[in-house]
Structure formats: structure tokens, C-alpha cells
Amino acid sequence: MTEHPTSHEGRQPLAARPQERTRPRQRDAAVAAAAAATAIPAPAKGPGAAAPDPQAATRREGDRLRFVGAATRRIARGIDLDEIVLGLCRASVPTFSDAILVYLRDPLPVGDERPVNPFVLRLRRSDRLRLTDEETESLSETERLRLPAIDPQADLMPAAELCEVRAGSALAEVLRGVRPVFGDSAAARVALPELLGAGRPVPSGHRVILAPLRGRRRVIGAAVFLRGAERPAFEANDLLVAAQLATHTALGIDKAVLYGREAYIADELQRTMLPDSLPQPTGVKLASRYLPAAETARVGGDWYDAIPLPGSRVALVVGDVMGHSMTSAAIMGQLRTTAQTLAGLDLPPQEVLHHLDEQAQRLGSDRMATCLYAVYDPVAHRITVANAGHPPPVLLHLGGRAEVLRVPPGAPIGVGGVDFEAVELDAPAGATLLLYTDGLVESRLRDVWTGIEMLRERLAATARLTGPDHSPPLEALCDDVLDMLGPGDRDDDIALLAARFDGIAPSDVAYWFLEPDESAPGRARRLARRALGRWGLDDLSDSVELLISEVVTNAVRYAERPVTLRLLRTDTLRCEVGDDSPQLPRQRRAKDMDENGRGLFLVNRLARRWGATRLSTGKVVWFEMPVRG
């Protein structure tokens, strides 16, 4: 059995709340236990007993109504499953009972889905009255005398953790009847041992109430209320109290399970809409963060992305769809997918935003979003930026100077009929570009430009800590930026994308134009051999010459304009061959008598990676070779 014997100060909830663990609550609980022992005395019986007092009966009924009102409010305050079950236990013990067991169906059915078989109940929580010596010492003598006589070490209600409810059993009949029953009733005397487990003692007399928990569609559990031997037995009206507690708890559990499923779907939707991991393209390092506005609004329209492009370039994207809902997340997913597709076509940044604007208008007249799209070229050490109503990026230079880039603001995506502009700026090696959504810089406490200035100052202060010759680590920089948020600054989602520009040195780049004739493959081999010798990579010459010859031969076959050949030396050797034919090569299995069709087979076997990308002016075929030592 999983039982949590506690005092009122120390009951261990599944989601503990420190604010409830205070000494005044301990004293209040102890006083409530003392009052509960005598507040609703059992009616006197027997021929010599005094006539019942109408005022006392009225007072007891008023106490019951007040208790039910307070208990149901406490149960209704819970949002998740653990809070609701905890609310029932805290409301019941000690005012209504000395101990409680709460069983729930395992697994709990969600909505209209059919529950699984067999019908299994799991002990979700057990609470009991236990007052420490320190607590009882703070009570008056009268209050201590009124406390129920409960042995702190006694196991008032031992129970098994799992119980299978068999069809046609006494427990199944009690649960199907829905109404609470006394423990000494004929049905409960058989049902309780089934629930608690074989060989478990069941207290005798009117000290136990078994209450089924029925949600909107089906029974989802059971609650067992227990009073000790020194406490007045349950009355008939207490069955109504137990029914009220059970009903409110069951309906709250139903809502909590549905909310939990929706939250799970929302989390999965948000997670799948955002990249699982960022690529690590040549010449740039990336880091990112995403923070939802709140636990109750975990789905939003903020997104970020990093998309490798031909020529070792990378597209950096950050956007924000208006609203916080499943719809916003769905629109965000469509816009992100569209941006990835447009990036694969190697369109200029302003054209990407133009097509995103058209896509947003097709999705609906009220689909609005902001977006910033930037393309970084590590060879040219330049970045091209286009903006659609998004906050401007901040560039942190190597010396510690933080600069808010001046980019055309543009209109948000979805407005329609607006031209977007792009600007080309320097991207020096060692600099860090920070793209973000407005949730980072705008809140109820400050406007967006005040927040941008705070961000700029924060980046500059962080850079000063690492010195003028070293850039701050990206991951630590992202964490430090988020630390500037105050308690009232989390009004919106936050997406953050940081890019450290390393670039590729001109000495590590070799670039040539080749005429599309029969001599091109031989010239490409000679040029590649010289470049590899200059870089000290002679051991790669044979493999690289073979692969370059195959790729250039395939390009010359279809090209009408000069073919480009570029070698890049970083941690790998990358070879790129471009031509003006849009037809992408496809690997085929050549037949025994075929003279052609084996070039890409060799590339696939010898290169570490290879691929082909269609451009607006043709295509680029590339492959990478590992650099040894």
C-alpha cells in the first residue's frame, strides 16, 4: 500500500505547496479536528434518552452545509489531477473523517474513449489524521480532550495498492449503484474486502463510507471515508455529504484529465513545430531558446529556424504569429514550412517574405505575423536581412560593442500589397547576431524600444566580462539574456536565436570558372590537385580528383554557361560544382553493359556526404570529404 500518514502540516501532496506548510495552518487543523469530534454528535437513542433538540439538529445541518460549501470550493480550485485529489483529502480530514483512501481507475479514460479492460483501481492517495506532540501542546486542555483518540502509529485503513473490479462482483455492483453506502451495509461488507485486498481488516459499525466516484460518463474510482472508534459514527445525512464530495471530485477529475490531454497535445504540437535541433553549418555556430508565456498558455505562434543553403550559407529565421492558441501554432507551422520550402529555392530574403505574405493571405484575412529573414554568407562575411514588422536584430561585435541593426521595418506578413526591402551588412568574424521575438523586449512594464535598449546594454555588459578578444559562449549568452526578464515581463512567448559568425578565411577558399567543354574535367582535376597540395591535403588528391571529374563531367553535359568549381577547407573539405541546368542528378543503378550512370554511385561510396540543390539560376552539386589529422 502507498499511504502517506501525515499531520495536517505534513501531509505530502503529489505536488507539494510550500505556502501551505505554515504553523498557523497546523494549529487551525488541530483545532478543526477537535471541533469536528463534537460538532456533529450522534443523535441519542434508547427509551431513556432525552428528546432530540431541534436547535441542535438545525445547527448540525448548518454545519454540514457550510462544510460542503467550503469543501467543494477547495476541490474546485484544483486544476490538475493531483490538486483535485489533494483538495478532497485536505477537505475531508479531519473535519469529516479521520482517514481517507482515494482510488482511481488505471488508466483513466479520457473524454469519449472507451476504457481499457480489465477494470483496475489504483490507490492514488491516502491521508489520515496525525497530530504531533508539538501541535497538541499548542492546544488548550479542553481542545486536547476533544481530539479523537488515534494512535499515531496505528494503520487505520490498510489497503492494497491495486484492485481489479470483476464483472458481477459486489464491488462492481456498489460502484455501479453510484450512491455512497455505509461500511456495515450488506453490499459494503463484501465490497470493502475486495477493494482493500484479501485479509485486510475492516472496521465495524457506522465508521466507514464507501463512495463511488462517477464522472460525466462512467465510474472512475472510489473514495473510502473512515472515522475512528472514539468519534461519533456517520449519520444518514453524512451519506449526502459524501455524495457531494464524490460528485465534485469526479467531475473535477474528468476536467483535469481532459485538460491534461489538451496540454499534452499542445506541448506536442509546439514541440513538433519547432526544430528538434539546430544544424551546425560551416562558418557559424547556433544556439536557441524558447519560453512559453505561461503554463496555461503553452501554445503560441513564435518560431525560429536555421536552414542550410547552397554555398555554405545559412538562412536565419524568427517569426511571431499573433495570438496564443492551437490556431496560432498551426498557422506558425504552415508559415515555417513555407519558409523552409522557399529557402530551398534559394530566393532572396525579400522574395521569401513576399511569398510568406501571400501564403498568410490565403490562410485567412486575419492571419497576421511578423518575421525576420536573414542569410549569412561565411565566405563573403556578409549578411542580407529583410524584415516584416519584426523587432530589429542586435549585433554584438567582438570588442563588446552591441549594435541594433538598421533594417527597414516593413509591414507584417498578411497585410498584403506591401513590398519588402533587404539590406546587406557586414558580418565580421567573432560577431554574434541575436534574433528574438517581441516577448523578450516588450511587456506591460515597458515599451518595445526601451526593452531593445535594455537588451543591447545587457549584451554589452556580458561581452565585457569575457574580455575584448573573446566572444561570450553562446549558450551562456542566451541564458544571460533571458535572466534580464523580471516577474512582470512574461506577457508573451519568447523565441531566441543566436548566431556566432566564424566565417571562412579567404585562404581556405578556392574558386574557378570552367568552360563547358571536354577539357573541363581535366582542368578541374589539375586545379583541385594544386589547391590540395597548397593546403597540405595531398592524401585526398586521388579521391577528390575522381569525384570532381565525375561531377564536372555530368555538369558539362547539360550546361550552356561556364561551370563553377569551389573548394572550401574547414574541418571538412567541401567541393561545390554549379551549372545553369535546373535538372537535379539522381543516383541510378547502372546495368553491366552501360557506359554511364556510375558517377554518383562513386560519389555516394567515397564522400562522407553529398547532395544537390536547385537554385534560381540552375543547381549546385556538392560533396564533403573528411580532413585527416
Side-chain angles (χ1 to χ4, degrees), residues 378-414:
V379 177
H381 296 269
R382 302 282 286 177
I383 185 168
T384 306
V385 185
N387 190 13
H390 204 78
V394 180
L395 185 65
L396 178 62
H397 293 268
L398 183 60
R401 180 172 64 92
E403 173 189 7
V404 180
L405 296 183
R406 295 183 178 181
V407 297
I413 290 173

Side-chain angles (χ1 to χ4, degrees), residues 111 214-220 250-256 258:
R214 180 177 177 83
R216 286 185 295 271
R217 298 185 181 276
R218 58 185 63 88
V219 173
I220 59 174
L251 293 177
I253 290 173
D254 258 357
K255 290 186 291 185
L258 286 173

Side-chain angles (χ1 to χ4, degrees), residues 300-603:
D302 292 19
W303 91 91
Y304 61 87
D305 215 341
I307 310 166
L309 300 177
S312 299
R313 295 170 299 146
V314 60
L316 307 173
V317 192
V318 65
D320 183 3
V321 178
M322 296 177 63
H324 298 87
S325 64
M326 293 280 194
T327 303
S328 300
I331 294 173
M332 176 266 285
Q334 295 182 67
L335 293 180
R336 178 178 176 238
T337 302
T338 303
Q340 289 178 329
T341 304
L342 296 171
L345 299 177
D346 200 30
L347 297 178
Q350 66 271 25
E351 290 297 320
V352 172
L353 295 184
H354 174 72
H355 289 292
L356 285 176
D357 179 61
E358 292 182 336
Q359 175 67 7
Q361 293 180 66
R362 284 191 290 267
L363 295 176
S365 59
D366 58 343
R367 308 310 189 195
M368 306 283 289
T370 63
C371 182
L372 191 141
Y373 188 95
V375 175
Y376 170 63
D377 188 341
V379 177
H381 296 269
R382 302 282 286 177
I383 185 168
T384 306
V385 185
N387 190 13
H390 204 78
V394 180
L395 185 65
L396 178 62
H397 293 268
L398 183 60
R401 180 172 64 92
E403 173 189 7
V404 180
L405 296 183
R406 295 183 178 181
V407 297
I413 290 173
V415 172
V418 179
D419 291 332
F420 299 98
E421 300 179 41
V423 294
E424 188 173 347
L425 305 169
D426 288 329
T432 303
L433 184 70
L434 197 71
L435 308 179
Y436 53 91
T437 54
D438 58 357
L440 179 66
V441 294
E442 185 179 24
S443 70
R444 291 169 294 177
L445 305 179
R446 60 170 183 256
D447 61 76
V448 62
W449 287 108
T450 302
I452 291 175
E453 181 61 23
M454 290 178 58
L455 173 62
R456 189 193 65 79
E457 294 175 355
R458 186 62 175 251
L459 290 173
T462 302
R464 285 194 294 269
L465 297 177
T466 58
D469 300 328
H470 300 281
S471 301
L474 274 186
E475 298 293 339
L477 180 66
C478 291
D479 292 336
D480 194 58
V481 166
L482 295 180
D483 285 343
M484 80 177 197
L485 297 171
D489 294 337
R490 292 292 303 282
D491 298 332
D492 198 359
D493 301 348
I494 297 173
L496 182 65
L497 179 63
R500 170 73 41 73
F501 298 144
D502 295 332
I504 300 176
S507 59
D508 293 327
V509 181
Y511 191 86
W512 305 279
F513 287 95
L514 305 173
E515 292 297 326
D517 53 33
E518 295 180 356
S519 64
R523 184 165 181 259
R525 289 194 295 270
R526 291 192 298 272
L527 294 172
R529 186 185 309 117
R530 293 173 189 169
L532 294 178
R534 187 167 63 250
W535 291 335
L537 300 177
D538 298 280
D539 56 330
L540 296 179
S541 291
D542 293 340
S543 299
V544 172
E545 288 182 41
L546 175 60
L547 299 187
I548 284 180
S549 179
E550 294 293 339
V551 176
V552 171
T553 299
N554 189 71
V556 168
R557 182 176 303 165
Y558 302 100
E560 297 181 359
R561 297 178 181 178
V563 175
T564 60
L565 172 62
R566 184 166 74 168
L567 298 181
L568 303 174
R569 181 187 66 164
T570 55
D571 54 342
T572 62
L573 178 68
R574 182 182 176 96
C575 174
E576 299 173 350
V577 177
D579 62 72
D580 60 349
S581 174
Q583 182 178 356
L584 296 180
R586 183 164 54 90
Q587 184 178 349
R588 298 180 178 88
R589 179 176 294 276
K591 297 180 181 179
D592 295 339
M593 302 303 293
D594 289 346
E595 296 182 2
N596 301 317
R598 295 179 176 83
L600 290 182
F601 176 78
L602 292 174
V603 174

Side-chain angles (χ1 to χ4, degrees), residues 119-423:
F119 184 172
V120 176
L121 292 178
R122 178 181 293 274
L123 182 60
R124 183 76 184 193
R125 185 178 180 87
S126 61
D127 265 6
R128 55 179 294 181
L129 177 63
R130 174 183 289 181
L131 299 179
T132 64
D133 294 338
E134 181 181 356
E135 294 168 0
T136 55
E137 287 176 0
S138 63
L139 301 178
S140 65
E141 184 67 25
T142 304
E143 291 170 340
R144 285 200 296 271
L145 292 175
R146 291 178 176 177
L147 285 175
I150 297 177
D151 181 2
Q153 305 301 324
D155 196 353
L156 289 181
M157 182 63 78
E161 186 173 351
L162 290 176
C163 168
E164 180 178 345
V165 183
R166 296 180 175 83
S169 64
L171 179 58
E173 293 300 319
V174 171
L175 296 179
R176 189 169 61 179
V178 177
R179 296 184 178 182
V181 294
F182 286 123
D184 65 343
S185 65
R189 279 199 298 267
V190 183
L192 279 173
E194 295 180 12
L195 179 63
L196 303 180
R200 307 283 182 172
V202 180
S204 60
H206 293 84
R207 293 186 297 163
V208 177
I209 290 180
L210 173 58
L213 303 178
R214 180 177 177 83
R216 286 185 295 271
R217 298 185 181 276
R218 58 185 63 88
V219 173
I220 59 174
V224 179
F225 302 93
L226 173 72
R227 284 185 182 176
E230 299 299 324
R231 188 159 176 184
F234 288 112
E235 303 177 15
N237 287 340
D238 290 327
L239 292 178
L240 301 178
V241 174
Q244 287 287 325
L245 298 179
T247 299
H248 283 80
T249 301
L251 293 177
I253 290 173
D254 258 357
K255 290 186 291 185
V257 171
L258 286 173
Y259 172 77
R261 172 63 61 87
E262 290 180 358
Y264 171 78
I265 295 173
D267 288 342
E268 286 295 302
L269 178 62
Q270 186 72 61
R271 184 186 62 81
T272 55
M273 292 299 181
L274 296 174
D276 291 333
S277 60
L278 292 173
Q280 295 299 330
T282 303
V284 62
K285 295 182 177 65
L286 302 172
S288 63
R289 294 290 187 274
Y290 175 82
L291 291 179
E295 284 296 313
T296 55
R298 284 179 281 192
V299 180
D302 292 19
W303 91 91
Y304 61 87
D305 215 341
I307 310 166
L309 300 177
S312 299
R313 295 170 299 146
V314 60
L316 307 173
V317 192
V318 65
D320 183 3
V321 178
M322 296 177 63
H324 298 87
S325 64
M326 293 280 194
T327 303
S328 300
I331 294 173
M332 176 266 285
Q334 295 182 67
L335 293 180
R336 178 178 176 238
T337 302
T338 303
Q340 289 178 329
T341 304
L342 296 171
L345 299 177
D346 200 30
L347 297 178
Q350 66 271 25
E351 290 297 320
V352 172
L353 295 184
H354 174 72
H355 289 292
L356 285 176
D357 179 61
E358 292 182 336
Q359 175 67 7
Q361 293 180 66
R362 284 191 290 267
L363 295 176
S365 59
D366 58 343
R367 308 310 189 195
M368 306 283 289
T370 63
C371 182
L372 191 141
Y373 188 95
V375 175
Y376 170 63
D377 188 341
V379 177
H381 296 269
R382 302 282 286 177
I383 185 168
T384 306
V385 185
N387 190 13
H390 204 78
V394 180
L395 185 65
L396 178 62
H397 293 268
L398 183 60
R401 180 172 64 92
E403 173 189 7
V404 180
L405 296 183
R406 295 183 178 181
V407 297
I413 290 173
V415 172
V418 179
D419 291 332
F420 299 98
E421 300 179 41
V423 294

